Amino acid sequence: QDLLARLTESNKTIQTLMEVFDLPTKKAELATLEQQSLAPNLWDKPEKARRVMQQVTTLRDDINLWTALSRR
């Protein structure tokens, strides 16, 4: 009973954090950046390309983390 209550409370906390994190917006940002990363001239500006790829990696990692947490 106590474990169930704690799990329920943890789930509520995760859901609240996901709302703050705004997963749909992060997914949209990732999709936009992934499209940018496919541009044939992306690496014409190496610094910009590195920033884009770093943002893609960060967003992908964050989204995967929150998605995994929501499944628990």
Short mmCIF file of all heavy atoms in Angstrom, two decimals:
data_model
loop_
_atom_site.label_atom_id
_atom_site.label_comp_id
_atom_site.label_asym_id
_atom_site.label_seq_id
_atom_site.Cartn_x
_atom_site.Cartn_y
_atom_site.Cartn_z
N GLN A 1 0.84 -1.19 0.00
CA GLN A 1 0.00 0.00 0.00
C GLN A 1 0.88 1.26 0.00
O GLN A 1 0.67 2.15 -0.80
CB GLN A 1 -0.92 -0.04 1.24
CG GLN A 1 -1.97 1.04 1.27
CD GLN A 1 -3.13 0.75 0.33
OE1 GLN A 1 -2.97 0.25 -0.76
NE2 GLN A 1 -4.32 1.06 0.79
N ASP A 2 1.87 1.29 0.90
CA ASP A 2 2.78 2.43 0.98
C ASP A 2 3.60 2.55 -0.31
O ASP A 2 3.80 3.65 -0.82
CB ASP A 2 3.70 2.29 2.19
CG ASP A 2 4.57 3.52 2.38
OD1 ASP A 2 4.04 4.64 2.30
OD2 ASP A 2 5.79 3.35 2.60
N LEU A 3 4.05 1.43 -0.82
CA LEU A 3 4.82 1.43 -2.06
C LEU A 3 3.97 1.95 -3.22
O LEU A 3 4.43 2.76 -4.03
CB LEU A 3 5.34 0.03 -2.38
CG LEU A 3 6.11 -0.12 -3.68
CD1 LEU A 3 7.34 0.78 -3.69
CD2 LEU A 3 6.51 -1.57 -3.89
N LEU A 4 2.74 1.52 -3.28
CA LEU A 4 1.84 1.98 -4.34
C LEU A 4 1.62 3.48 -4.25
O LEU A 4 1.64 4.18 -5.26
CB LEU A 4 0.50 1.23 -4.26
CG LEU A 4 -0.53 1.60 -5.32
CD1 LEU A 4 0.03 1.33 -6.71
CD2 LEU A 4 -1.81 0.82 -5.10
N ALA A 5 1.46 3.99 -3.06
CA ALA A 5 1.26 5.43 -2.87
C ALA A 5 2.51 6.20 -3.30
O ALA A 5 2.40 7.25 -3.96
CB ALA A 5 0.93 5.73 -1.41
N ARG A 6 3.67 5.68 -2.97
CA ARG A 6 4.92 6.34 -3.36
C ARG A 6 5.11 6.32 -4.88
O ARG A 6 5.55 7.30 -5.48
CB ARG A 6 6.12 5.70 -2.66
CG ARG A 6 6.14 6.04 -1.18
CD ARG A 6 7.38 5.63 -0.42
NE ARG A 6 8.33 4.80 -1.11
CZ ARG A 6 8.91 3.73 -0.59
NH1 ARG A 6 8.63 3.36 0.64
NH2 ARG A 6 9.79 3.03 -1.28
N LEU A 7 4.76 5.19 -5.49
CA LEU A 7 4.87 5.09 -6.95
C LEU A 7 3.90 6.05 -7.64
O LEU A 7 4.25 6.69 -8.63
CB LEU A 7 4.60 3.66 -7.40
CG LEU A 7 5.71 2.65 -7.12
CD1 LEU A 7 5.24 1.24 -7.46
CD2 LEU A 7 6.97 2.99 -7.89
N THR A 8 2.70 6.14 -7.12
CA THR A 8 1.72 7.05 -7.68
C THR A 8 2.20 8.50 -7.56
O THR A 8 2.10 9.27 -8.52
CB THR A 8 0.36 6.88 -6.97
OG1 THR A 8 -0.08 5.53 -7.13
CG2 THR A 8 -0.69 7.83 -7.51
N GLU A 9 2.75 8.84 -6.41
CA GLU A 9 3.27 10.19 -6.20
C GLU A 9 4.46 10.47 -7.12
O GLU A 9 4.57 11.54 -7.70
CB GLU A 9 3.67 10.39 -4.74
CG GLU A 9 4.07 11.81 -4.41
CD GLU A 9 2.97 12.82 -4.67
OE1 GLU A 9 1.78 12.50 -4.49
OE2 GLU A 9 3.32 13.96 -5.08
N SER A 10 5.32 9.48 -7.29
CA SER A 10 6.47 9.64 -8.19
C SER A 10 6.01 9.85 -9.62
O SER A 10 6.55 10.68 -10.35
CB SER A 10 7.39 8.42 -8.12
OG SER A 10 8.00 8.33 -6.87
N ASN A 11 4.99 9.11 -10.01
CA ASN A 11 4.45 9.26 -11.37
C ASN A 11 3.87 10.65 -11.57
O ASN A 11 4.08 11.27 -12.62
CB ASN A 11 3.40 8.19 -11.64
CG ASN A 11 3.02 8.13 -13.11
OD1 ASN A 11 3.87 8.30 -13.97
ND2 ASN A 11 1.75 7.90 -13.38
N LYS A 12 3.19 11.17 -10.58
CA LYS A 12 2.64 12.52 -10.67
C LYS A 12 3.77 13.55 -10.80
O LYS A 12 3.68 14.49 -11.57
CB LYS A 12 1.78 12.84 -9.45
CG LYS A 12 0.46 12.13 -9.41
CD LYS A 12 -0.31 12.49 -8.16
CE LYS A 12 -1.57 11.67 -8.04
NZ LYS A 12 -2.27 11.95 -6.78
N THR A 13 4.83 13.34 -10.04
CA THR A 13 5.97 14.25 -10.09
C THR A 13 6.62 14.22 -11.47
O THR A 13 6.94 15.27 -12.04
CB THR A 13 7.01 13.87 -9.01
OG1 THR A 13 6.39 13.95 -7.73
CG2 THR A 13 8.22 14.80 -9.06
N ILE A 14 6.79 13.03 -12.02
CA ILE A 14 7.38 12.90 -13.36
C ILE A 14 6.49 13.58 -14.40
O ILE A 14 6.98 14.30 -15.27
CB ILE A 14 7.62 11.42 -13.71
CG1 ILE A 14 8.75 10.86 -12.86
CG2 ILE A 14 7.91 11.25 -15.20
CD1 ILE A 14 8.91 9.35 -12.94
N GLN A 15 5.18 13.40 -14.29
CA GLN A 15 4.26 14.04 -15.23
C GLN A 15 4.35 15.57 -15.15
O GLN A 15 4.35 16.25 -16.16
CB GLN A 15 2.82 13.57 -14.98
CG GLN A 15 2.57 12.12 -15.32
CD GLN A 15 2.87 11.80 -16.78
OE1 GLN A 15 2.65 12.60 -17.68
NE2 GLN A 15 3.40 10.62 -17.01
N THR A 16 4.45 16.08 -13.93
CA THR A 16 4.58 17.53 -13.75
C THR A 16 5.88 18.02 -14.36
O THR A 16 5.90 19.05 -15.06
CB THR A 16 4.53 17.89 -12.25
OG1 THR A 16 3.27 17.46 -11.71
CG2 THR A 16 4.71 19.38 -12.03
N LEU A 17 6.95 17.31 -14.12
CA LEU A 17 8.25 17.69 -14.68
C LEU A 17 8.23 17.63 -16.21
O LEU A 17 8.83 18.47 -16.88
CB LEU A 17 9.36 16.80 -14.13
CG LEU A 17 9.70 17.03 -12.66
CD1 LEU A 17 10.66 15.96 -12.17
CD2 LEU A 17 10.28 18.42 -12.44
N MET A 18 7.52 16.65 -16.75
CA MET A 18 7.42 16.54 -18.21
C MET A 18 6.67 17.74 -18.79
O MET A 18 7.00 18.22 -19.86
CB MET A 18 6.75 15.23 -18.61
CG MET A 18 7.67 14.03 -18.43
SD MET A 18 6.92 12.49 -18.96
CE MET A 18 6.96 12.70 -20.73
N GLU A 19 5.66 18.21 -18.07
CA GLU A 19 4.94 19.39 -18.53
C GLU A 19 5.86 20.61 -18.52
O GLU A 19 5.82 21.42 -19.45
CB GLU A 19 3.71 19.63 -17.66
CG GLU A 19 2.62 18.60 -17.87
CD GLU A 19 1.49 18.71 -16.87
OE1 GLU A 19 1.37 19.76 -16.19
OE2 GLU A 19 0.71 17.75 -16.76
N VAL A 20 6.67 20.72 -17.48
CA VAL A 20 7.61 21.83 -17.41
C VAL A 20 8.66 21.70 -18.52
O VAL A 20 9.02 22.68 -19.17
CB VAL A 20 8.29 21.88 -16.02
CG1 VAL A 20 9.44 22.87 -16.00
CG2 VAL A 20 7.27 22.21 -14.94
N PHE A 21 9.13 20.50 -18.74
CA PHE A 21 10.11 20.24 -19.78
C PHE A 21 9.53 20.49 -21.16
O PHE A 21 10.23 20.87 -22.08
CB PHE A 21 10.61 18.79 -19.65
CG PHE A 21 11.61 18.39 -20.68
CD1 PHE A 21 12.89 18.91 -20.67
CD2 PHE A 21 11.29 17.48 -21.68
CE1 PHE A 21 13.83 18.55 -21.62
CE2 PHE A 21 12.21 17.09 -22.63
CZ PHE A 21 13.49 17.64 -22.60
N ASP A 22 8.24 20.32 -21.31
CA ASP A 22 7.51 20.56 -22.56
C ASP A 22 8.02 19.66 -23.68
O ASP A 22 8.58 20.12 -24.68
CB ASP A 22 7.58 22.03 -22.95
CG ASP A 22 6.56 22.39 -24.03
OD1 ASP A 22 5.71 21.54 -24.37
OD2 ASP A 22 6.61 23.52 -24.53
N LEU A 23 7.80 18.38 -23.50
CA LEU A 23 8.28 17.37 -24.44
C LEU A 23 7.85 17.61 -25.89
O LEU A 23 8.68 17.51 -26.80
CB LEU A 23 7.86 15.98 -23.96
CG LEU A 23 8.51 14.78 -24.63
CD1 LEU A 23 10.02 14.81 -24.48
CD2 LEU A 23 7.95 13.49 -24.05
N PRO A 24 6.59 17.97 -26.16
CA PRO A 24 6.21 18.21 -27.56
C PRO A 24 7.03 19.32 -28.22
O PRO A 24 7.42 19.22 -29.38
CB PRO A 24 4.73 18.59 -27.48
CG PRO A 24 4.25 17.94 -26.22
CD PRO A 24 5.42 18.03 -25.26
N THR A 25 7.32 20.38 -27.47
CA THR A 25 8.12 21.48 -28.02
C THR A 25 9.54 21.01 -28.28
O THR A 25 10.13 21.35 -29.32
CB THR A 25 8.11 22.69 -27.07
OG1 THR A 25 6.77 23.15 -26.94
CG2 THR A 25 8.99 23.81 -27.58
N LYS A 26 10.10 20.23 -27.36
CA LYS A 26 11.46 19.72 -27.54
C LYS A 26 11.53 18.80 -28.77
O LYS A 26 12.49 18.85 -29.53
CB LYS A 26 11.94 18.96 -26.30
CG LYS A 26 12.01 19.79 -25.04
CD LYS A 26 13.05 20.87 -25.15
CE LYS A 26 13.16 21.61 -23.83
NZ LYS A 26 13.88 22.85 -23.93
N LYS A 27 10.50 18.00 -28.97
CA LYS A 27 10.47 17.12 -30.15
C LYS A 27 10.39 17.94 -31.43
O LYS A 27 11.04 17.60 -32.43
CB LYS A 27 9.29 16.15 -30.06
CG LYS A 27 9.51 15.04 -29.05
CD LYS A 27 8.33 14.08 -29.02
CE LYS A 27 8.59 12.93 -28.08
NZ LYS A 27 7.47 11.97 -28.06
N ALA A 28 9.63 19.02 -31.41
CA ALA A 28 9.54 19.89 -32.59
C ALA A 28 10.88 20.57 -32.86
O ALA A 28 11.31 20.67 -34.02
CB ALA A 28 8.43 20.92 -32.39
N GLU A 29 11.54 21.03 -31.80
CA GLU A 29 12.86 21.64 -31.96
C GLU A 29 13.84 20.63 -32.55
O GLU A 29 14.63 20.97 -33.45
CB GLU A 29 13.40 22.11 -30.60
CG GLU A 29 12.70 23.32 -30.04
CD GLU A 29 13.20 23.67 -28.64
OE1 GLU A 29 14.36 23.34 -28.30
OE2 GLU A 29 12.43 24.26 -27.88
N LEU A 30 13.78 19.40 -32.05
CA LEU A 30 14.67 18.36 -32.56
C LEU A 30 14.42 18.11 -34.04
O LEU A 30 15.37 18.01 -34.83
CB LEU A 30 14.50 17.06 -31.76
CG LEU A 30 15.33 15.87 -32.22
CD1 LEU A 30 16.82 16.18 -32.17
CD2 LEU A 30 15.00 14.64 -31.38
N ALA A 31 13.17 18.03 -34.43
CA ALA A 31 12.84 17.79 -35.84
C ALA A 31 13.38 18.92 -36.73
O ALA A 31 13.94 18.66 -37.80
CB ALA A 31 11.32 17.66 -36.01
N THR A 32 13.26 20.15 -36.26
CA THR A 32 13.77 21.29 -37.03
C THR A 32 15.29 21.20 -37.17
O THR A 32 15.84 21.39 -38.26
CB THR A 32 13.38 22.61 -36.34
OG1 THR A 32 11.96 22.71 -36.30
CG2 THR A 32 13.96 23.81 -37.06
N LEU A 33 15.96 20.92 -36.06
CA LEU A 33 17.42 20.82 -36.10
C LEU A 33 17.89 19.64 -36.95
O LEU A 33 18.90 19.73 -37.64
CB LEU A 33 17.98 20.71 -34.68
CG LEU A 33 17.88 22.00 -33.85
CD1 LEU A 33 18.20 21.71 -32.39
CD2 LEU A 33 18.81 23.07 -34.40
N GLU A 34 17.15 18.55 -36.89
CA GLU A 34 17.52 17.39 -37.72
C GLU A 34 17.39 17.74 -39.20
O GLU A 34 18.23 17.31 -40.01
CB GLU A 34 16.67 16.18 -37.36
CG GLU A 34 17.07 15.56 -36.04
CD GLU A 34 16.17 14.41 -35.61
OE1 GLU A 34 14.98 14.39 -35.96
OE2 GLU A 34 16.68 13.54 -34.88
N GLN A 35 16.39 18.52 -39.55
CA GLN A 35 16.26 18.97 -40.94
C GLN A 35 17.44 19.86 -41.33
O GLN A 35 18.00 19.72 -42.41
CB GLN A 35 14.94 19.72 -41.15
CG GLN A 35 13.74 18.83 -41.25
CD GLN A 35 13.85 17.86 -42.42
OE1 GLN A 35 14.18 18.23 -43.54
NE2 GLN A 35 13.60 16.59 -42.14
N GLN A 36 17.83 20.75 -40.42
CA GLN A 36 18.99 21.60 -40.67
C GLN A 36 20.25 20.77 -40.86
O GLN A 36 21.10 21.10 -41.68
CB GLN A 36 19.21 22.59 -39.53
CG GLN A 36 18.18 23.68 -39.44
CD GLN A 36 18.41 24.60 -38.27
OE1 GLN A 36 19.49 24.66 -37.70
NE2 GLN A 36 17.38 25.34 -37.89
N SER A 37 20.35 19.70 -40.08
CA SER A 37 21.56 18.86 -40.14
C SER A 37 21.68 18.12 -41.47
O SER A 37 22.76 17.64 -41.81
CB SER A 37 21.60 17.87 -38.97
OG SER A 37 20.68 16.82 -39.17
N LEU A 38 20.59 18.03 -42.21
CA LEU A 38 20.60 17.34 -43.50
C LEU A 38 20.98 18.27 -44.66
O LEU A 38 21.18 17.79 -45.78
CB LEU A 38 19.23 16.71 -43.77
CG LEU A 38 18.78 15.64 -42.79
CD1 LEU A 38 17.36 15.20 -43.11
CD2 LEU A 38 19.73 14.46 -42.79
N ALA A 39 21.08 19.54 -44.37
CA ALA A 39 21.41 20.50 -45.43
C ALA A 39 22.79 20.20 -46.00
O ALA A 39 23.75 20.01 -45.25
CB ALA A 39 21.37 21.92 -44.88
N PRO A 40 22.91 20.16 -47.32
CA PRO A 40 24.20 19.82 -47.94
C PRO A 40 25.31 20.83 -47.64
O PRO A 40 26.47 20.48 -47.64
CB PRO A 40 23.88 19.77 -49.44
CG PRO A 40 22.56 20.39 -49.61
CD PRO A 40 21.86 20.38 -48.29
N ASN A 41 24.93 22.05 -47.35
CA ASN A 41 25.95 23.08 -47.08
C ASN A 41 26.18 23.32 -45.59
O ASN A 41 26.81 24.30 -45.21
CB ASN A 41 25.55 24.39 -47.77
CG ASN A 41 24.25 24.96 -47.23
OD1 ASN A 41 23.48 24.26 -46.58
ND2 ASN A 41 24.00 26.21 -47.54
N LEU A 42 25.66 22.44 -44.75
CA LEU A 42 25.78 22.63 -43.30
C LEU A 42 27.23 22.86 -42.87
O LEU A 42 27.53 23.76 -42.10
CB LEU A 42 25.21 21.42 -42.55
CG LEU A 42 25.37 21.45 -41.03
CD1 LEU A 42 24.47 22.51 -40.43
CD2 LEU A 42 25.06 20.10 -40.43
N TRP A 43 28.13 22.07 -43.39
CA TRP A 43 29.53 22.13 -42.94
C TRP A 43 30.33 23.23 -43.63
O TRP A 43 31.53 23.37 -43.39
CB TRP A 43 30.18 20.76 -43.08
CG TRP A 43 29.60 19.81 -42.07
CD1 TRP A 43 28.63 18.89 -42.29
CD2 TRP A 43 29.91 19.75 -40.69
NE1 TRP A 43 28.31 18.24 -41.12
CE2 TRP A 43 29.09 18.74 -40.12
CE3 TRP A 43 30.79 20.43 -39.86
CZ2 TRP A 43 29.13 18.41 -38.77
CZ3 TRP A 43 30.83 20.10 -38.51
CH2 TRP A 43 30.01 19.11 -37.98
N ASP A 44 29.65 24.06 -44.43
CA ASP A 44 30.33 25.23 -44.98
C ASP A 44 30.68 26.22 -43.86
O ASP A 44 31.61 27.01 -43.99
CB ASP A 44 29.45 25.95 -46.01
CG ASP A 44 29.27 25.13 -47.28
OD1 ASP A 44 29.97 24.10 -47.45
OD2 ASP A 44 28.42 25.52 -48.10
N LYS A 45 29.89 26.15 -42.80
CA LYS A 45 30.14 26.97 -41.60
C LYS A 45 30.33 26.00 -40.44
O LYS A 45 29.36 25.67 -39.73
CB LYS A 45 28.97 27.92 -41.34
CG LYS A 45 28.77 28.94 -42.45
CD LYS A 45 27.61 29.86 -42.14
CE LYS A 45 27.43 30.85 -43.28
NZ LYS A 45 26.28 31.72 -43.03
N PRO A 46 31.55 25.52 -40.22
CA PRO A 46 31.81 24.46 -39.24
C PRO A 46 31.34 24.77 -37.81
O PRO A 46 30.82 23.88 -37.14
CB PRO A 46 33.33 24.28 -39.28
CG PRO A 46 33.74 24.82 -40.59
CD PRO A 46 32.76 25.90 -40.94
N GLU A 47 31.50 26.01 -37.38
CA GLU A 47 31.09 26.35 -36.01
C GLU A 47 29.57 26.22 -35.85
O GLU A 47 29.08 25.67 -34.87
CB GLU A 47 31.55 27.76 -35.63
CG GLU A 47 31.30 28.11 -34.19
CD GLU A 47 31.95 27.13 -33.20
OE1 GLU A 47 33.08 26.66 -33.45
OE2 GLU A 47 31.31 26.82 -32.18
N LYS A 48 28.85 26.70 -36.83
CA LYS A 48 27.38 26.58 -36.80
C LYS A 48 26.99 25.10 -36.87
O LYS A 48 26.08 24.65 -36.15
CB LYS A 48 26.74 27.35 -37.95
CG LYS A 48 25.23 27.26 -37.95
CD LYS A 48 24.60 28.03 -39.07
CE LYS A 48 23.08 27.84 -39.02
NZ LYS A 48 22.41 28.52 -40.10
N ALA A 49 27.66 24.35 -37.71
CA ALA A 49 27.36 22.92 -37.84
C ALA A 49 27.58 22.19 -36.51
O ALA A 49 26.76 21.36 -36.10
CB ALA A 49 28.23 22.30 -38.92
N ARG A 50 28.67 22.53 -35.84
CA ARG A 50 28.94 21.89 -34.54
C ARG A 50 27.85 22.23 -33.52
O ARG A 50 27.42 21.37 -32.75
CB ARG A 50 30.31 22.30 -34.01
CG ARG A 50 31.46 21.52 -34.62
CD ARG A 50 32.77 21.76 -33.88
NE ARG A 50 33.33 23.07 -34.18
CZ ARG A 50 34.05 23.35 -35.27
NH1 ARG A 50 34.29 22.41 -36.16
NH2 ARG A 50 34.52 24.56 -35.47
N ARG A 51 27.41 23.49 -33.53
CA ARG A 51 26.34 23.89 -32.59
C ARG A 51 25.05 23.13 -32.88
O ARG A 51 24.38 22.65 -31.96
CB ARG A 51 26.10 25.40 -32.67
CG ARG A 51 27.10 26.22 -31.90
CD ARG A 51 26.62 27.66 -31.68
NE ARG A 51 26.15 28.33 -32.88
CZ ARG A 51 26.91 29.01 -33.73
NH1 ARG A 51 28.19 29.12 -33.51
NH2 ARG A 51 26.37 29.59 -34.79
N VAL A 52 24.71 23.03 -34.16
CA VAL A 52 23.49 22.32 -34.55
C VAL A 52 23.58 20.85 -34.10
O VAL A 52 22.66 20.33 -33.48
CB VAL A 52 23.24 22.41 -36.07
CG1 VAL A 52 22.16 21.43 -36.51
CG2 VAL A 52 22.86 23.83 -36.45
N MET A 53 24.71 20.22 -34.39
CA MET A 53 24.85 18.81 -34.04
C MET A 53 24.87 18.60 -32.53
O MET A 53 24.33 17.62 -32.02
CB MET A 53 26.12 18.23 -34.68
CG MET A 53 26.09 18.27 -36.21
SD MET A 53 24.56 17.63 -36.96
CE MET A 53 24.67 15.91 -36.53
N GLN A 54 25.46 19.55 -31.81
CA GLN A 54 25.47 19.46 -30.35
C GLN A 54 24.04 19.60 -29.80
O GLN A 54 23.64 18.87 -28.89
CB GLN A 54 26.37 20.53 -29.76
CG GLN A 54 26.54 20.42 -28.25
CD GLN A 54 27.54 21.43 -27.73
OE1 GLN A 54 27.71 22.50 -28.29
NE2 GLN A 54 28.20 21.08 -26.65
N GLN A 55 23.28 20.52 -30.37
CA GLN A 55 21.89 20.69 -29.93
C GLN A 55 21.07 19.44 -30.24
O GLN A 55 20.23 19.03 -29.43
CB GLN A 55 21.27 21.91 -30.61
CG GLN A 55 21.79 23.23 -30.08
CD GLN A 55 21.19 24.39 -30.84
OE1 GLN A 55 21.38 24.52 -32.05
NE2 GLN A 55 20.45 25.23 -30.13
N VAL A 56 21.29 18.85 -31.41
CA VAL A 56 20.59 17.62 -31.77
C VAL A 56 20.88 16.54 -30.73
O VAL A 56 19.96 15.88 -30.23
CB VAL A 56 20.97 17.14 -33.19
CG1 VAL A 56 20.53 15.71 -33.43
CG2 VAL A 56 20.39 18.07 -34.24
N THR A 57 22.13 16.37 -30.41
CA THR A 57 22.52 15.34 -29.44
C THR A 57 21.90 15.61 -28.07
O THR A 57 21.34 14.70 -27.44
CB THR A 57 24.05 15.27 -29.32
OG1 THR A 57 24.58 14.92 -30.60
CG2 THR A 57 24.48 14.24 -28.29
N THR A 58 21.97 16.84 -27.62
CA THR A 58 21.43 17.20 -26.30
C THR A 58 19.92 16.97 -26.25
O THR A 58 19.41 16.36 -25.30
CB THR A 58 21.77 18.66 -25.96
OG1 THR A 58 23.19 18.80 -25.91
CG2 THR A 58 21.18 19.06 -24.61
N LEU A 59 19.22 17.47 -27.26
CA LEU A 59 17.77 17.29 -27.28
C LEU A 59 17.39 15.82 -27.36
O LEU A 59 16.48 15.37 -26.65
CB LEU A 59 17.15 18.05 -28.46
CG LEU A 59 16.96 19.55 -28.26
CD1 LEU A 59 16.59 20.21 -29.57
CD2 LEU A 59 15.91 19.83 -27.20
N ARG A 60 18.07 15.07 -28.21
CA ARG A 60 17.77 13.64 -28.35
C ARG A 60 17.98 12.93 -27.01
O ARG A 60 17.14 12.13 -26.59
CB ARG A 60 18.64 13.03 -29.44
CG ARG A 60 18.18 11.64 -29.82
CD ARG A 60 18.99 11.08 -30.97
NE ARG A 60 18.64 11.76 -32.21
CZ ARG A 60 19.52 12.13 -33.13
NH1 ARG A 60 20.80 11.90 -32.97
NH2 ARG A 60 19.12 12.72 -34.23
N ASP A 61 19.08 13.23 -26.33
CA ASP A 61 19.34 12.61 -25.03
C ASP A 61 18.28 12.99 -24.00
O ASP A 61 17.79 12.14 -23.26
CB ASP A 61 20.72 13.01 -24.51
CG ASP A 61 21.87 12.40 -25.29
OD1 ASP A 61 21.62 11.47 -26.11
OD2 ASP A 61 23.02 12.85 -25.10
N ASP A 62 17.91 14.28 -23.97
CA ASP A 62 16.89 14.73 -23.02
C ASP A 62 15.55 14.06 -23.30
O ASP A 62 14.86 13.61 -22.38
CB ASP A 62 16.73 16.25 -23.08
CG ASP A 62 17.91 17.00 -22.49
OD1 ASP A 62 18.76 16.36 -21.83
OD2 ASP A 62 17.98 18.22 -22.70
N ILE A 63 15.16 14.01 -24.56
CA ILE A 63 13.88 13.40 -24.93
C ILE A 63 13.88 11.92 -24.56
O ILE A 63 12.91 11.40 -24.01
CB ILE A 63 13.59 13.62 -26.43
CG1 ILE A 63 13.27 15.09 -26.68
CG2 ILE A 63 12.46 12.71 -26.91
CD1 ILE A 63 13.29 15.49 -28.15
N ASN A 64 14.98 11.23 -24.86
CA ASN A 64 15.06 9.81 -24.51
C ASN A 64 14.98 9.59 -23.01
O ASN A 64 14.31 8.67 -22.55
CB ASN A 64 16.35 9.20 -25.07
CG ASN A 64 16.32 9.04 -26.57
OD1 ASN A 64 15.26 9.03 -27.19
ND2 ASN A 64 17.49 8.94 -27.17
N LEU A 65 15.62 10.47 -22.24
CA LEU A 65 15.56 10.34 -20.78
C LEU A 65 14.14 10.50 -20.28
O LEU A 65 13.64 9.67 -19.51
CB LEU A 65 16.47 11.39 -20.13
CG LEU A 65 16.35 11.51 -18.62
CD1 LEU A 65 16.83 10.24 -17.94
CD2 LEU A 65 17.13 12.72 -18.13
N TRP A 66 13.47 11.56 -20.72
CA TRP A 66 12.11 11.82 -20.23
C TRP A 66 11.13 10.75 -20.72
O TRP A 66 10.21 10.38 -19.99
CB TRP A 66 11.64 13.22 -20.64
CG TRP A 66 12.30 14.26 -19.80
CD1 TRP A 66 13.31 15.09 -20.17
CD2 TRP A 66 12.06 14.53 -18.42
NE1 TRP A 66 13.70 15.86 -19.11
CE2 TRP A 66 12.95 15.54 -18.02
CE3 TRP A 66 11.17 14.00 -17.48
CZ2 TRP A 66 12.96 16.06 -16.73
CZ3 TRP A 66 11.19 14.51 -16.20
CH2 TRP A 66 12.07 15.51 -15.83
N THR A 67 11.35 10.25 -21.92
CA THR A 67 10.49 9.19 -22.42
C THR A 67 10.67 7.93 -21.58
O THR A 67 9.69 7.27 -21.21
CB THR A 67 10.80 8.91 -23.91
OG1 THR A 67 10.58 10.12 -24.64
CG2 THR A 67 9.90 7.83 -24.46
N ALA A 68 11.90 7.60 -21.25
CA ALA A 68 12.18 6.43 -20.42
C ALA A 68 11.58 6.59 -19.03
O ALA A 68 11.00 5.64 -18.48
CB ALA A 68 13.68 6.18 -20.33
N LEU A 69 11.70 7.78 -18.46
CA LEU A 69 11.14 8.03 -17.13
C LEU A 69 9.62 7.89 -17.13
O LEU A 69 9.03 7.39 -16.17
CB LEU A 69 11.52 9.42 -16.62
CG LEU A 69 12.95 9.59 -16.14
CD1 LEU A 69 13.22 11.06 -15.84
CD2 LEU A 69 13.21 8.73 -14.92
N SER A 70 9.00 8.33 -18.20
CA SER A 70 7.54 8.27 -18.25
C SER A 70 7.03 6.84 -18.37
O SER A 70 5.88 6.56 -18.05
CB SER A 70 6.99 9.11 -19.40
OG SER A 70 7.30 8.52 -20.64
N ARG A 71 7.88 5.93 -18.84
CA ARG A 71 7.47 4.52 -18.98
C ARG A 71 7.57 3.76 -17.66
O ARG A 71 7.05 2.68 -17.56
CB ARG A 71 8.35 3.84 -20.02
CG ARG A 71 8.07 4.31 -21.41
CD ARG A 71 8.87 3.53 -22.42
NE ARG A 71 8.65 4.07 -23.75
CZ ARG A 71 9.58 4.23 -24.65
NH1 ARG A 71 10.82 3.84 -24.40
NH2 ARG A 71 9.31 4.75 -25.82
N ARG A 72 8.26 4.31 -16.71
CA ARG A 72 8.45 3.60 -15.44
C ARG A 72 7.28 3.71 -14.54
O ARG A 72 6.48 4.48 -14.51
CB ARG A 72 9.68 4.14 -14.71
CG ARG A 72 10.95 3.76 -15.42
CD ARG A 72 12.12 4.21 -14.68
NE ARG A 72 13.31 3.72 -15.34
CZ ARG A 72 14.50 3.76 -14.81
NH1 ARG A 72 14.67 4.26 -13.64
NH2 ARG A 72 15.52 3.31 -15.47
#
